[in-house]
Amino acid sequence: MITNIGKAGANTHGVLRYFYEPGRANEHTDPHLVASWDGFAPDPGREENATLAQLATVLDLRVKQAGDRAPAKHVWHCSVRTAPEDPVLTDEQWATVARRILNATGIAPAGDPDACRWVAVRYAEDHIHIVATKVRGDLTPPRHWNDYLRADKECAAIEKEYGLRQVVRGDRTAAKRPTRAEQEKALRAGHTATPRERLRTTVRTTVAAATGTEEFFTILRSAGVLVDIQRFPSGDIRGYKVALPGDTNAKGEPVWFSGSTLGPDLSYPKISERLAPTEPDPIGQHSVRRRTAWQQVTDAADRIPDVLDEADDAVGQAHITVLAETLDALPPSPPPATGPSWPRQPRPSSGPAAPASAPATTRPRPHAGPSRRSCGNPHPRTAPSSRPSSTPSSWPSSRPSSGTTPASTTSRPKPLAGQPNTCTPPTRPPPSSPWP
């Protein structure tokens, strides 16, 4: 059983007229009331003297009594539908379903004499429509905040009691889908993804690379994203919002998206909690900088088998979920100008090795001192053979003699026949960047 609560309307008569008309494909058969707020509402489908105008008038009575205090959009509309394989419910069962949903949403609490006026209309076997006016008997609006989730929760309970198909429901962790207006605006700008989707990808990638909240905002700005940090009066960060350069509204202002609108897990509280240190620094360690995201992913992947064996299902599922999200967010290559937080190339253990097809080099001769000298390894005057050697080139591994230092050389191409035999002094390779 599923529900759909539409946007509030201002025309009660127009909504009722749609229910009692035949429909575009004559799908509205035998429209009639299955329940109402007092059980005595006029039914234009079953009573000869009842009209739609009469039904709309009694529903709007309190709206007219409230006058200016009544909301402009006072019509509340909810549809409830069963699955195709479910048994057909009777009118009495549908009336019970309507009352339970109205009670759960706060539109018409059970036993409340001042509840909103409502009717439930049925014109098909598998669903009903509930229409209510959002003015109570004391001329105040109802408290129906979060009505969709409350109605959906009540439908889950009804499914079990009536033996209906139990629909798999979400946990509100999925990202919001782009609207049609956002998609058309992106197409006009020549983009396949909407600004919301592009910002979501950028923020997720940045969270995976950052080691703290300050670095998170720094990387976002270096990636060309507009960032607006919102703070409490005390100066603490309350939240943030981001925008893309060039993405403006009709007034020429940037279109901002808060972190929570990009994704439930991208709000500032979630990000700060994720980037907060979880283990104390070892005693005697001078640096308090946390390990990079790539190093943490490696460590977490190594610990997952032990966690699944020792921890409960909830903890194991949490580890797997976080690892999957992080791997999905890791970029294939670091973006430019992101600072030292992005991973560097690891230092090679034995120096750069030439490919197997490179010609072999002669082992350098030991020399003494770093003074300028002639080449100790003269090139042969003959042209190199076209058949490459299978011995790869590597750093010299000869054992130095007493008081001497081996020369560090790199592979140099051999001159062709007829070219002068010139050489340059061997140079040391530049030091590799240390692992952060």
PDB file of all heavy atoms in Angstrom, residues 34-56:
ATOM      1  N   VAL A  34     -16.967   6.781   0.659  1.00  0.00           N
ATOM      2  CA  VAL A  34     -16.869   5.626   1.550  1.00  0.00           C
ATOM      3  C   VAL A  34     -16.831   6.062   3.009  1.00  0.00           C
ATOM      4  O   VAL A  34     -17.110   5.260   3.915  1.00  0.00           O
ATOM      5  CB  VAL A  34     -15.633   4.773   1.219  1.00  0.00           C
ATOM      6  CG1 VAL A  34     -15.752   4.176  -0.178  1.00  0.00           C
ATOM      7  CG2 VAL A  34     -14.350   5.584   1.335  1.00  0.00           C
ATOM      8  N   ALA A  35     -16.512   7.327   3.247  1.00  0.00           N
ATOM      9  CA  ALA A  35     -16.473   7.841   4.621  1.00  0.00           C
ATOM     10  C   ALA A  35     -16.386   9.353   4.563  1.00  0.00           C
ATOM     11  O   ALA A  35     -15.990   9.947   3.543  1.00  0.00           O
ATOM     12  CB  ALA A  35     -15.285   7.270   5.393  1.00  0.00           C
ATOM     13  N   SER A  36     -16.760  10.005   5.658  1.00  0.00           N
ATOM     14  CA  SER A  36     -16.655  11.457   5.795  1.00  0.00           C
ATOM     15  C   SER A  36     -16.436  11.790   7.263  1.00  0.00           C
ATOM     16  O   SER A  36     -16.439  10.910   8.128  1.00  0.00           O
ATOM     17  CB  SER A  36     -17.914  12.157   5.252  1.00  0.00           C
ATOM     18  OG  SER A  36     -19.055  11.757   5.993  1.00  0.00           O
ATOM     19  N   TRP A  37     -16.248  13.094   7.556  1.00  0.00           N
ATOM     20  CA  TRP A  37     -15.902  13.493   8.923  1.00  0.00           C
ATOM     21  C   TRP A  37     -17.027  13.197   9.925  1.00  0.00           C
ATOM     22  O   TRP A  37     -16.768  12.924  11.093  1.00  0.00           O
ATOM     23  CB  TRP A  37     -15.530  14.970   8.946  1.00  0.00           C
ATOM     24  CG  TRP A  37     -16.691  15.911   8.835  1.00  0.00           C
ATOM     25  CD1 TRP A  37     -17.345  16.532   9.853  1.00  0.00           C
ATOM     26  CD2 TRP A  37     -17.349  16.339   7.642  1.00  0.00           C
ATOM     27  NE1 TRP A  37     -18.364  17.312   9.387  1.00  0.00           N
ATOM     28  CE2 TRP A  37     -18.376  17.226   8.025  1.00  0.00           C
ATOM     29  CE3 TRP A  37     -17.178  16.078   6.280  1.00  0.00           C
ATOM     30  CZ2 TRP A  37     -19.232  17.833   7.106  1.00  0.00           C
ATOM     31  CZ3 TRP A  37     -18.009  16.694   5.381  1.00  0.00           C
ATOM     32  CH2 TRP A  37     -19.019  17.545   5.780  1.00  0.00           C
ATOM     33  N   ASP A  38     -18.295  13.248   9.484  1.00  0.00           N
ATOM     34  CA  ASP A  38     -19.405  12.997  10.400  1.00  0.00           C
ATOM     35  C   ASP A  38     -20.332  11.884   9.916  1.00  0.00           C
ATOM     36  O   ASP A  38     -21.275  11.506  10.613  1.00  0.00           O
ATOM     37  CB  ASP A  38     -20.221  14.274  10.617  1.00  0.00           C
ATOM     38  CG  ASP A  38     -20.809  14.827   9.330  1.00  0.00           C
ATOM     39  OD1 ASP A  38     -20.491  14.273   8.253  1.00  0.00           O
ATOM     40  OD2 ASP A  38     -21.561  15.816   9.399  1.00  0.00           O
ATOM     41  N   GLY A  39     -20.081  11.354   8.718  1.00  0.00           N
ATOM     42  CA  GLY A  39     -20.920  10.291   8.182  1.00  0.00           C
ATOM     43  C   GLY A  39     -22.193  10.765   7.526  1.00  0.00           C
ATOM     44  O   GLY A  39     -23.002   9.932   7.089  1.00  0.00           O
ATOM     45  N   PHE A  40     -22.414  12.080   7.447  1.00  0.00           N
ATOM     46  CA  PHE A  40     -23.651  12.608   6.865  1.00  0.00           C
ATOM     47  C   PHE A  40     -23.381  13.570   5.715  1.00  0.00           C
ATOM     48  O   PHE A  40     -24.254  14.356   5.338  1.00  0.00           O
ATOM     49  CB  PHE A  40     -24.476  13.325   7.937  1.00  0.00           C
ATOM     50  CG  PHE A  40     -24.889  12.430   9.068  1.00  0.00           C
ATOM     51  CD1 PHE A  40     -24.194  12.433  10.263  1.00  0.00           C
ATOM     52  CD2 PHE A  40     -25.978  11.570   8.926  1.00  0.00           C
ATOM     53  CE1 PHE A  40     -24.570  11.610  11.309  1.00  0.00           C
ATOM     54  CE2 PHE A  40     -26.357  10.748   9.965  1.00  0.00           C
ATOM     55  CZ  PHE A  40     -25.648  10.747  11.167  1.00  0.00           C
ATOM     56  N   ALA A  41     -22.198  13.534   5.150  1.00  0.00           N
ATOM     57  CA  ALA A  41     -21.880  14.434   4.038  1.00  0.00           C
ATOM     58  C   ALA A  41     -22.681  14.021   2.801  1.00  0.00           C
ATOM     59  O   ALA A  41     -22.904  12.827   2.559  1.00  0.00           O
ATOM     60  CB  ALA A  41     -20.389  14.397   3.738  1.00  0.00           C
ATOM     61  N   PRO A  42     -23.137  14.988   1.994  1.00  0.00           N
ATOM     62  CA  PRO A  42     -23.891  14.646   0.772  1.00  0.00           C
ATOM     63  C   PRO A  42     -22.983  13.922  -0.224  1.00  0.00           C
ATOM     64  O   PRO A  42     -21.823  14.295  -0.418  1.00  0.00           O
ATOM     65  CB  PRO A  42     -24.348  16.006   0.236  1.00  0.00           C
ATOM     66  CG  PRO A  42     -23.420  16.998   0.849  1.00  0.00           C
ATOM     67  CD  PRO A  42     -22.997  16.456   2.169  1.00  0.00           C
ATOM     68  N   ASP A  43     -23.543  12.889  -0.862  1.00  0.00           N
ATOM     69  CA  ASP A  43     -22.777  12.077  -1.810  1.00  0.00           C
ATOM     70  C   ASP A  43     -23.375  12.237  -3.202  1.00  0.00           C
ATOM     71  O   ASP A  43     -24.433  11.652  -3.503  1.00  0.00           O
ATOM     72  CB  ASP A  43     -22.812  10.612  -1.382  1.00  0.00           C
ATOM     73  CG  ASP A  43     -21.936   9.724  -2.257  1.00  0.00           C
ATOM     74  OD1 ASP A  43     -21.270  10.260  -3.165  1.00  0.00           O
ATOM     75  OD2 ASP A  43     -21.920   8.503  -2.034  1.00  0.00           O
ATOM     76  N   PRO A  44     -22.751  13.033  -4.081  1.00  0.00           N
ATOM     77  CA  PRO A  44     -23.315  13.219  -5.427  1.00  0.00           C
ATOM     78  C   PRO A  44     -23.318  11.939  -6.257  1.00  0.00           C
ATOM     79  O   PRO A  44     -24.059  11.861  -7.253  1.00  0.00           O
ATOM     80  CB  PRO A  44     -22.375  14.271  -6.055  1.00  0.00           C
ATOM     81  CG  PRO A  44     -21.700  14.926  -4.902  1.00  0.00           C
ATOM     82  CD  PRO A  44     -21.571  13.875  -3.856  1.00  0.00           C
ATOM     83  N   GLY A  45     -22.553  10.933  -5.868  1.00  0.00           N
ATOM     84  CA  GLY A  45     -22.509   9.707  -6.661  1.00  0.00           C
ATOM     85  C   GLY A  45     -23.623   8.737  -6.344  1.00  0.00           C
ATOM     86  O   GLY A  45     -24.000   7.934  -7.207  1.00  0.00           O
ATOM     87  N   ARG A  46     -24.175   8.789  -5.131  1.00  0.00           N
ATOM     88  CA  ARG A  46     -25.213   7.828  -4.744  1.00  0.00           C
ATOM     89  C   ARG A  46     -26.546   8.488  -4.392  1.00  0.00           C
ATOM     90  O   ARG A  46     -27.571   7.816  -4.380  1.00  0.00           O
ATOM     91  CB  ARG A  46     -24.704   7.029  -3.543  1.00  0.00           C
ATOM     92  CG  ARG A  46     -23.484   6.156  -3.843  1.00  0.00           C
ATOM     93  CD  ARG A  46     -23.845   4.977  -4.689  1.00  0.00           C
ATOM     94  NE  ARG A  46     -22.687   4.132  -5.015  1.00  0.00           N
ATOM     95  CZ  ARG A  46     -22.243   3.137  -4.270  1.00  0.00           C
ATOM     96  NH1 ARG A  46     -22.844   2.875  -3.103  1.00  0.00           N
ATOM     97  NH2 ARG A  46     -21.224   2.424  -4.659  1.00  0.00           N
ATOM     98  N   GLU A  47     -26.548   9.761  -4.114  1.00  0.00           N
ATOM     99  CA  GLU A  47     -27.781  10.457  -3.739  1.00  0.00           C
ATOM    100  C   GLU A  47     -28.242  11.322  -4.913  1.00  0.00           C
ATOM    101  O   GLU A  47     -27.451  12.076  -5.489  1.00  0.00           O
ATOM    102  CB  GLU A  47     -27.553  11.322  -2.502  1.00  0.00           C
ATOM    103  CG  GLU A  47     -27.107  10.521  -1.274  1.00  0.00           C
ATOM    104  CD  GLU A  47     -26.801  11.416  -0.095  1.00  0.00           C
ATOM    105  OE1 GLU A  47     -27.057  12.639  -0.206  1.00  0.00           O
ATOM    106  OE2 GLU A  47     -26.305  10.908   0.933  1.00  0.00           O
ATOM    107  N   GLU A  48     -29.513  11.231  -5.224  1.00  0.00           N
ATOM    108  CA  GLU A  48     -30.039  11.944  -6.393  1.00  0.00           C
ATOM    109  C   GLU A  48     -30.047  13.451  -6.188  1.00  0.00           C
ATOM    110  O   GLU A  48     -29.788  14.216  -7.121  1.00  0.00           O
ATOM    111  CB  GLU A  48     -31.454  11.453  -6.698  1.00  0.00           C
ATOM    112  CG  GLU A  48     -31.524   9.986  -7.088  1.00  0.00           C
ATOM    113  CD  GLU A  48     -32.940   9.558  -7.411  1.00  0.00           C
ATOM    114  OE1 GLU A  48     -33.855  10.424  -7.282  1.00  0.00           O
ATOM    115  OE2 GLU A  48     -33.151   8.395  -7.794  1.00  0.00           O
ATOM    116  N   ASN A  49     -30.373  13.909  -4.997  1.00  0.00           N
ATOM    117  CA  ASN A  49     -30.500  15.348  -4.770  1.00  0.00           C
ATOM    118  C   ASN A  49     -29.188  16.013  -4.376  1.00  0.00           C
ATOM    119  O   ASN A  49     -29.146  17.237  -4.244  1.00  0.00           O
ATOM    120  CB  ASN A  49     -31.549  15.597  -3.689  1.00  0.00           C
ATOM    121  CG  ASN A  49     -32.923  15.091  -4.097  1.00  0.00           C
ATOM    122  OD1 ASN A  49     -33.264  15.100  -5.285  1.00  0.00           O
ATOM    123  ND2 ASN A  49     -33.718  14.638  -3.129  1.00  0.00           N
ATOM    124  N   ALA A  50     -28.153  15.248  -4.144  1.00  0.00           N
ATOM    125  CA  ALA A  50     -26.876  15.829  -3.743  1.00  0.00           C
ATOM    126  C   ALA A  50     -26.110  16.312  -4.970  1.00  0.00           C
ATOM    127  O   ALA A  50     -26.161  15.697  -6.037  1.00  0.00           O
ATOM    128  CB  ALA A  50     -26.042  14.808  -2.977  1.00  0.00           C
ATOM    129  N   THR A  51     -25.396  17.422  -4.796  1.00  0.00           N
ATOM    130  CA  THR A  51     -24.596  17.998  -5.880  1.00  0.00           C
ATOM    131  C   THR A  51     -23.167  18.231  -5.395  1.00  0.00           C
ATOM    132  O   THR A  51     -22.889  18.258  -4.188  1.00  0.00           O
ATOM    133  CB  THR A  51     -25.198  19.322  -6.363  1.00  0.00           C
ATOM    134  OG1 THR A  51     -25.187  20.261  -5.287  1.00  0.00           O
ATOM    135  CG2 THR A  51     -26.616  19.119  -6.874  1.00  0.00           C
ATOM    136  N   LEU A  52     -22.292  18.437  -6.362  1.00  0.00           N
ATOM    137  CA  LEU A  52     -20.902  18.745  -6.018  1.00  0.00           C
ATOM    138  C   LEU A  52     -20.794  20.078  -5.298  1.00  0.00           C
ATOM    139  O   LEU A  52     -19.959  20.250  -4.399  1.00  0.00           O
ATOM    140  CB  LEU A  52     -20.046  18.755  -7.286  1.00  0.00           C
ATOM    141  CG  LEU A  52     -19.728  17.402  -7.930  1.00  0.00           C
ATOM    142  CD1 LEU A  52     -18.942  17.611  -9.220  1.00  0.00           C
ATOM    143  CD2 LEU A  52     -18.927  16.547  -6.958  1.00  0.00           C
ATOM    144  N   ALA A  53     -21.634  21.037  -5.684  1.00  0.00           N
ATOM    145  CA  ALA A  53     -21.589  22.344  -5.025  1.00  0.00           C
ATOM    146  C   ALA A  53     -21.952  22.219  -3.553  1.00  0.00           C
ATOM    147  O   ALA A  53     -21.335  22.883  -2.695  1.00  0.00           O
ATOM    148  CB  ALA A  53     -22.530  23.311  -5.730  1.00  0.00           C
ATOM    149  N   GLN A  54     -22.906  21.383  -3.219  1.00  0.00           N
ATOM    150  CA  GLN A  54     -23.278  21.189  -1.814  1.00  0.00           C
ATOM    151  C   GLN A  54     -22.131  20.551  -1.022  1.00  0.00           C
ATOM    152  O   GLN A  54     -21.816  20.966   0.096  1.00  0.00           O
ATOM    153  CB  GLN A  54     -24.524  20.320  -1.722  1.00  0.00           C
ATOM    154  CG  GLN A  54     -25.793  20.965  -2.254  1.00  0.00           C
ATOM    155  CD  GLN A  54     -26.972  20.011  -2.215  1.00  0.00           C
ATOM    156  OE1 GLN A  54     -26.824  18.818  -1.942  1.00  0.00           O
ATOM    157  NE2 GLN A  54     -28.176  20.533  -2.495  1.00  0.00           N
ATOM    158  N   LEU A  55     -21.511  19.545  -1.603  1.00  0.00           N
ATOM    159  CA  LEU A  55     -20.405  18.884  -0.918  1.00  0.00           C
ATOM    160  C   LEU A  55     -19.227  19.833  -0.722  1.00  0.00           C
ATOM    161  O   LEU A  55     -18.602  19.867   0.355  1.00  0.00           O
ATOM    162  CB  LEU A  55     -19.972  17.652  -1.714  1.00  0.00           C
ATOM    163  CG  LEU A  55     -18.841  16.811  -1.107  1.00  0.00           C
ATOM    164  CD1 LEU A  55     -19.208  16.320   0.279  1.00  0.00           C
ATOM    165  CD2 LEU A  55     -18.488  15.632  -2.014  1.00  0.00           C
ATOM    166  N   ALA A  56     -18.914  20.624  -1.729  1.00  0.00           N
ATOM    167  CA  ALA A  56     -17.817  21.581  -1.599  1.00  0.00           C
ATOM    168  C   ALA A  56     -18.148  22.657  -0.574  1.00  0.00           C
ATOM    169  O   ALA A  56     -17.271  23.115   0.170  1.00  0.00           O
ATOM    170  CB  ALA A  56     -17.505  22.208  -2.958  1.00  0.00           C
TER     171      ALA A  56
END
